[in-house]
Amino acid sequence: MGLGSGKGKTILFGEHFVVYGLPALAAGISSVTTAKLTRVRSFGHTLVDNRPAMPGYKKEKYEEQKASLENILRHLNIDTTKMGFQIDLGGDLVCASGIGASAASCVAIVRSLNDEFKLGLTEEQVNEAAYEGEKGYHGTPSGLDNTASTYGGLVWFERDLGGGRPKFEKLKLKKAIHLVIASTGITASTKVVVEAVKIKKDANPKWWDEISEKYIQLVHKAKEALIQLDLPKVGELMNENHELLQELTVSCEELDNLVKVARDSGAIGAKMTGTGRGGNMISLAPDEAAAKQIAKALEKAKAPGVWLTSFGL
Ligand code: MEV
């Protein structure tokens, strides 16, 4: 039997911008996806998906999930024409757009294969194989999600647009920072939303250059504010990042509503996270008690999923 796991993640700053080589900050969260690989007598491979998920998520991602597994097997040279196994996915990460569910499952699957077939993969190679899996979900992943999922913690990430290894740095904070995550319940296709941004960018390069410049200034300030644990500044920058994402047209009414509820109930800052046009919103809480109060307000506003988490240590 082979076992593996991958962490969920949340993008604090930089979704979509990261696809074009701009820096991003992401944090692994404590919830994980697990993979258990069991050999079977027949040839071929099956995936049994027992992960908790938002309604509709698994159906929406089914074809992409299949493509992703094929990519991983091809990358690791695992041929199931003469042997067979079943992989069971589980864990406590509730699958929803924006929480890194696809990357967490890729990392978990790669680790279970590594365990069963004694591949001797380093963490870097696990990350690379998971990146191949992510390509099944959308053609041009930045690599941020699988990196956050493989290594956990708080990461500063820059994609190498030339196809080389990404630059990433793990950041440690002196204190954990509390986040409240809420789901819109809407599953979005990363492929579709990333493509929509590309069309907008290609149609108006001047606009893209201006918004990118604003974002670059913002993300450097965010890194500094996080290291200094200057939460009011981090919150202010999250709010500004949300506005830039609205300008990219990747937010939506449901996300904007959740952002407003969080801010009105004590969050220092709030923004959509991940792909957008559905998926999740994250909000920054000054402390654990405030996080519980924000979560209550989001539940009262009928957010289909609400989770408390922390990052930084
Ligand atoms: C998706 O979680 C994040 C995006 O920036 C895509 C990517 O980084 O590959 C939208």
Side-chain angles (χ1 to χ4, degrees):
M1 189 170 71
L3 296 174
S5 75
K7 282 186 193 320
K9 69 93 201 26
T10 178
I11 300 180
L12 302 169
F13 294 93
E15 46 279 276
H16 291 285
F17 293 104
V18 69
V19 172
Y20 299 98
L22 275 54
L25 282 157
I29 61 171
S30 52
S31 303
V32 294
T33 288
T34 57
K36 185 176 87 182
L37 184 153
T38 326
R39 300 267 197 151
V40 296
R41 282 178 193 282
S42 52
F43 297 159
H45 51 274
T46 28
L47 191 65
V48 178
D49 193 347
N50 292 319
R51 295 173 299 168
M54 296 311 290
Y57 177 90
K58 289 184 191 173
K59 193 161 171 257
E60 182 75 33
K61 300 278 177 184
Y62 181 73
E63 288 302 327
E64 296 176 356
Q65 187 183 47
K66 264 185 14 197
S68 165
L69 180 57
E70 297 306 326
N71 283 359
I72 292 173
L73 295 177
R74 199 175 316 114
H75 178 78
L76 295 176
N77 282 320
I78 294 175
D79 177 6
T80 58
T81 54
K82 293 186 186 72
M83 52 107 169
F85 57 77
Q86 174 173 317
I87 296 178
D88 287 85
L89 293 180
D92 63 348
L93 178 68
V94 181
C95 302
S97 301
I99 200 83
S102 62
S105 71
C106 291
V107 172
I109 290 170
V110 171
R111 287 193 170 134
S112 72
L113 292 161
N114 187 33
D115 190 25
E116 177 63 22
F117 296 106
K118 310 277 173 280
L119 302 175
L121 301 179
T122 61
E123 285 295 85
E124 197 172 338
Q125 287 167 328
V126 166
N127 194 24
E128 278 169 11
Y131 179 66
E132 293 305 312
E134 274 283 271
K135 287 184 185 166
Y137 289 92
H138 73 112
T140 55
S142 64
L144 170 63
D145 289 11
N146 47 280
T147 301
S149 179
T150 303
Y151 296 99
L154 176 60
V155 261
W156 170 270
F157 178 95
E158 283 174 62
R159 179 183 197 185
D160 180 339
L161 293 182
R165 291 225 160 95
K167 237 204 291 173
F168 81 97
E169 183 189 343
K170 271 193 87 159
L171 305 173
K172 268 218 178 297
L173 305 181
K174 290 208 179 78
K175 220 174 84 185
I177 294 184
H178 297 277
L179 283 183
V180 184
I181 306 177
S183 166
T184 58
I186 303 166
T187 301
S189 159
T190 304
K191 198 183 262 175
V192 170
V193 185
V194 167
E195 184 58 26
V197 173
K198 184 175 184 305
I199 291 170
K200 208 169 151 52
K201 168 184 176 289
D202 292 349
N204 198 343
K206 189 167 172 288
W207 162 80
W208 178 259
D209 288 347
E210 282 166 11
I211 198 166
S212 295
E213 193 43 51
K214 278 191 212 159
Y215 171 72
I216 290 173
Q217 309 257 351
L218 186 155
V219 72
H220 283 280
K221 285 186 205 155
K223 182 182 181 189
E224 211 35 56
L226 279 166
I227 292 169
Q228 302 296 331
L229 285 174
D230 182 350
L231 297 192
K233 188 73 192 167
V234 176
E236 184 188 312
L237 294 165
M238 282 170 75
N239 292 342
E240 281 177 28
N241 194 174
H242 185 71
E243 276 175 30
L244 297 184
L245 291 162
Q246 283 175 318
E247 225 189 293
L248 295 193
T249 72
V250 297
S251 191
C252 61
E253 203 184 320
E254 292 82 353
L255 281 166
D256 292 345
N257 284 342
L258 294 179
V259 161
K260 182 168 180 335
V261 172
R263 288 178 191 159
D264 289 350
S265 57
I268 315 174
K271 65 180 274 291
M272 56 152 278
T273 184
T275 299
R277 298 204 182 158
N280 288 357
M281 172 292 313
I282 51 170
S283 53
L284 184 67
D287 52 42
E288 210 174 334
K292 286 185 182 150
Q293 182 185 309
I294 298 162
K296 225 186 244 166
L298 288 162
E299 273 158 9
K300 205 164 154 221
K302 302 214 174 342
V306 179
W307 302 276
L308 298 169
T309 191
S310 63
F311 68 90
L313 288 180

